[in-house]
Amino acid sequence: MESTAIYTVSSRLKVSAPLPRNSIRRFFMLLERDCGLAKELFHTSIGRSCQRTRSHMPFCSHSPYGSVSLDKSSVRLLAVSSSFSIDSISVNGSGFCSCQPEQKDNEVTTFCSTSIYSSALNEDVVQAPSHVTEEKIGVLLLNLGGPETLDDVQPFLYNLFADPRPLAKLISMLRAPKSKEGYASIGGGSPLRKITDEQANALKSALEAKRKKVNVYVGMRYWYPFTEEAVHQIKRDKVTRLVILPLYPQFSISTTGSSLRVLQKMFREDAYLSSLPVAIIRSWYQREGYVKTMADLIEEELQSFPNPDEVMIFFSAHGVPLSYVEEAGDPYRDQMEDCIFLIMRELKSRGINNDHTLAYQSRVGPVQWLKPYTDEVLVELGQKGVKSLLAVPVSFVSEHIETLEEIDMEYKELALESGIKNWGRVPALNCTDSFITDLADAVTEALPSAAALSTSTRPSEEADHDPVVSFIKFFFGSIVAFFLLLSPKMISAFRSNLL
Ligand SMILES: C=CC1=C(C)c2cc3[nH]c(cc4nc(cc5[nH]c(cc1n2)c(C)c5CCC(=O)O)C(CCC(=O)O)=C4C)c(C)c3C=C
Ligand SMILES: [Fe+2]
């Protein structure tokens, strides 16, 4: 019997980073191979609805709706779950094909490979979840990780800078003394692991209160517990549906993107994982619960000033190198600006009309980072006569070195020296009830979309063409050139001034 499924290609078919032609071609080849989808039909559909083209992309980055009809037998592989719940098919920044349901409150992507590439690589092969009857839901929280002791600092930095490896050693050794000083001043290590574990427990309880029994896992990118360990535990627990929730409200290729690349590789190389339905919440700064909680914290902290109306609200976000945004297509700056707009709109709706500004902190090394820089803006504001300032850490959801040392110590001192008289800082969200409840809602909303299936590319092919990987190679390649070309005198100036 024949029935028809309509797959719509919506305006969410948006390519945020330049994609090499090969990725697009491969996407269609895989669609054709796995779904029996006629390449021409799909091309035509997209081509017709295309509004705009970029030189490096074979088709548009924004398109209105286009649709493709398929007969049921031809989409056998996509329809393993016997549901036609896939709303749109998209290609994300890394060239990874995914099914992306329309979502308003946060950006959710689902992926689940229909092809099993190799199970020989895996030491513990677990039966694919489609054969397991009992539903087991997992939530994987992603974060960066931080050294727990001063001895951890250099190896942690090595992991952070580990691409390519020979340079990671050098850069981490140059950076370690300054980092160690920072970690020593906040008690000898990062509180990130402890706080993230507390958030995981609070999220589990919040989901239980919503009658959802879940296991919550923590996967850190550069320190314990590593993402890889969390994924091994997910396999051992035989999770049948997984929501991936990065603890970064805004997406950056340096944070969420980096963790997702690790996961993507693991999922493609493993039979169990490649058939596990997954939903990824790529960013969630636009969620009402998050925006309102941030506004609550700001409103409360403003009350501690002698003249709350005269306080400048100073949003300080973690920076990224400018080239990430301008060359590699990182949506981080756009999302950050949007996030500030939403928080300020919420404050205005409560009758709070303070001035505000946004600046970027924590730059590392000699390249240009997103501007304006927090330290420079603080000095300028002091010179302009601003007397009261409330710092709001906006890219972090937990207290860590950048809030406890950089903002509370370094920036506070600089602000006071620059003429600012009253200084305050909004606490990080940590386990604030309304924030955790909102994360629980985000998970609940994302879960149904995890049933969708899609295709994926082979890791070896992807690594060759991934624009992000190419960019990182280029970025660190530039650092090699920097070290090779500069004189020893300049290197020592670089060490003392910039690191
Ligand atoms: C949104 C959050 C973050 C972005 C964006 C980000 C980009 C980024 N960071 C570095 C270099 C370092 N980051 C370090 C620590 C660190 N960074 C974040 C968050 C973001 N980083 C966190 C949560 C932490 C851990 C903090 C802790 O308490 O341990 C460090 C080590 C600390 C230090 O020496 O300053 C470095 C170095 C780069 C290069 C980068 C973008 C490319
Ligand atoms: Fe960082």
Side-chain angles (χ1 to χ4, degrees):
M1 196 182 65
E2 281 211 339
S3 67
T4 301
I6 308 292
Y7 287 78
T8 57
V9 180
S10 73
S11 57
R12 298 198 61 138
L13 184 73
K14 186 170 140 188
V15 184
S16 53
L19 278 172
R21 276 168 193 277
N22 278 352
S23 298
I24 306 287
R25 208 175 309 125
R26 213 167 45 243
F27 172 63
F28 289 115
M29 276 167 49
L30 284 158
L31 269 178
E32 193 175 31
R33 189 197 67 193
D34 288 348
C35 320
L37 178 57
K39 201 174 1 183
E40 292 72 17
L41 179 60
F42 209 77
H43 260 135
T44 313
S45 168
I46 290 169
R48 246 193 253 123
S49 56
C50 194
Q51 296 290 295
R52 165 164 87 94
T53 51
R54 287 196 199 167
S55 55
H56 48 262
M57 284 184 210
F59 60 83
C60 59
S61 67
H62 288 242
S63 74
Y65 287 76
S67 63
V68 186
S69 301
L70 307 166
D71 78 68
K72 191 171 181 174
S73 60
S74 69
V75 289
R76 190 168 26 88
L77 277 167
L78 277 177
V80 182
S81 68
S82 73
S83 96
F84 287 105
S85 59
I86 299 166
D87 293 312
S88 66
I89 298 173
S90 74
V91 186
N92 71 15
S94 62
F96 181 47
C97 307
S98 62
C99 297
Q100 196 161 12
E102 288 298 311
Q103 250 281 354
K104 276 213 181 85
D105 285 343
N106 34 251
E107 207 191 331
V108 179
T109 308
T110 61
F111 71 85
C112 182
S113 169
T114 51
S115 310
I116 295 165
Y117 294 105
S118 162
S119 56
L121 290 169
N122 305 306
E123 71 286 10
D124 49 348
V125 177
V126 178
Q127 183 86 55
S130 54
H131 301 292
V132 180
T133 46
E134 193 202 343
E135 167 104 305
K136 271 201 171 177
I137 298 170
V139 177
L140 173 58
L141 299 180
L142 302 176
N143 211 333
L144 194 121
E148 287 167 77
T149 67
L150 293 183
D151 286 343
D152 295 342
V153 172
Q154 198 267 324
F156 159 76
L157 291 173
Y158 173 84
N159 292 338
L160 197 139
F161 292 117
D163 194 357
R165 290 188 179 275
L167 269 181
K169 191 85 189 161
L170 175 65
I171 299 174
S172 62
M173 279 165 63
L174 289 173
R175 177 75 188 179
K178 184 169 195 261
S179 288
K180 274 192 185 173
E181 215 179 288
Y183 285 109
S185 72
I186 61 165
S190 172
L192 202 60
R193 181 175 188 168
K194 181 173 166 286
I195 297 172
T196 312
D197 283 345
E198 286 165 3
Q199 288 168 330
N201 289 333
L203 179 60
K204 185 176 166 62
S205 305
L207 283 161
E208 273 164 10
K210 292 175 186 294
R211 298 182 183 282
K212 284 257 176 317
K213 192 172 171 302
V214 300
N215 283 353
V216 183
Y217 305 86
V218 172
M220 300 292 195
R221 179 66 184 89
Y222 302 119
W223 205 245
Y224 299 94
F226 285 107
T227 313
E228 291 84 345
E229 296 170 36
V231 171
H232 288 309
Q233 192 56 48
I234 286 166
K235 276 183 70 177
R236 282 194 288 273
D237 290 349
K238 299 188 170 64
V239 163
T240 58
R241 240 180 337 154
L242 183 67
V243 176
I244 296 177
L245 175 57
L247 287 176
Y248 309 101
Q250 307 82 11
F251 181 95
S252 167
I253 55 180
S254 62
T255 53
T256 301
S258 173
S259 291
L260 293 183
R261 285 192 296 277
V262 169
L263 289 170
Q264 191 177 321
K265 187 168 188 304
M266 290 187 82
F267 274 63
R268 284 180 184 163
E269 290 172 352
D270 183 283
Y272 169 84
L273 297 169
S274 65
S275 55
L276 173 64
V278 175
I280 306 169
I281 304 173
R282 290 164 62 87
S283 67
W284 42 268
Y285 69 88
Q286 63 283 59
R287 291 187 63 81
E288 204 180 308
Y290 165 75
V291 171
K292 285 201 155 124
T293 307
M294 288 299 289
D296 291 345
L297 295 178
I298 294 171
E299 189 175 0
E300 196 180 322
E301 214 54 41
L302 281 174
Q303 301 316 310
S304 63
F305 286 82
N307 297 308
D309 295 350
E310 289 165 19
V311 177
M312 160 82 76
I313 300 174
F314 186 96
F315 292 97
S316 189
H318 198 303
V320 296
L322 185 64
S323 49
Y324 277 45
V325 171
E326 297 202 337
E327 286 160 39
D330 195 336
Y332 181 71
R333 180 173 60 190
D334 285 350
Q335 293 197 358
M336 190 58 70
E337 288 173 2
D338 203 21
C339 175
I340 305 309
F341 168 80
L342 294 171
I343 296 172
M344 288 312 297
R345 189 177 68 179
E346 173 62 26
L347 286 169
K348 282 196 179 74
S349 77
R350 301 177 187 191
I352 298 167
N353 292 301
N354 293 54
D355 286 340
H356 75 280
T357 192
L358 164 66
Y360 293 92
Q361 63 175 85
S362 318
R363 63 187 188 277
V364 186
V367 297
Q368 269 208 60
W369 284 54
L370 286 184
K371 283 185 177 167
Y373 298 145
T374 295
D375 49 358
E376 293 179 1
V377 177
L378 287 175
V379 175
E380 280 165 26
L381 292 176
Q383 285 166 352
K384 280 187 192 155
V386 171
K387 292 288 169 239
S388 302
L389 200 138
L390 176 60
V392 186
V394 73
S395 40
F396 317 118
V397 298
S398 323
E399 298 295 356
H400 64 291
I401 192 168
E402 268 113 12
T403 56
L404 300 171
E405 194 268 336
E406 210 171 349
I407 298 184
D408 289 356
M409 299 179 194
E410 282 183 47
Y411 293 145
K412 179 178 178 185
E413 195 183 315
L414 182 64
L416 298 180
E417 276 170 16
S418 307
I420 286 154
K421 296 273 172 262
N422 306 303
W423 168 271
R425 203 262 287 177
V426 165
L429 293 158
N430 291 345
C431 286
T432 306
D433 283 347
S434 52
F435 165 58
I436 298 293
T437 306
D438 191 50
L439 288 186
D441 289 343
V443 168
T444 313
E445 289 160 27
L447 262 173
S449 63
L453 303 179
S454 83
T455 60
S456 78
T457 50
R458 297 232 304 271
S460 56
E461 288 172 358
E462 212 261 339
D464 289 341
H465 301 290
D466 185 345
V468 175
V469 171
S470 314
F471 171 74
I472 290 169
K473 282 182 182 161
F474 171 77
F475 174 66
F476 285 104
S478 309
I479 296 177
V480 181
F482 175 83
F483 278 107
L484 291 176
L485 292 173
L486 291 185
S487 68
K489 198 172 155 204
M490 286 190 73
I491 291 177
S492 82
F494 167 73
R495 267 199 65 166
S496 50
N497 294 328
L498 293 165
L499 283 175

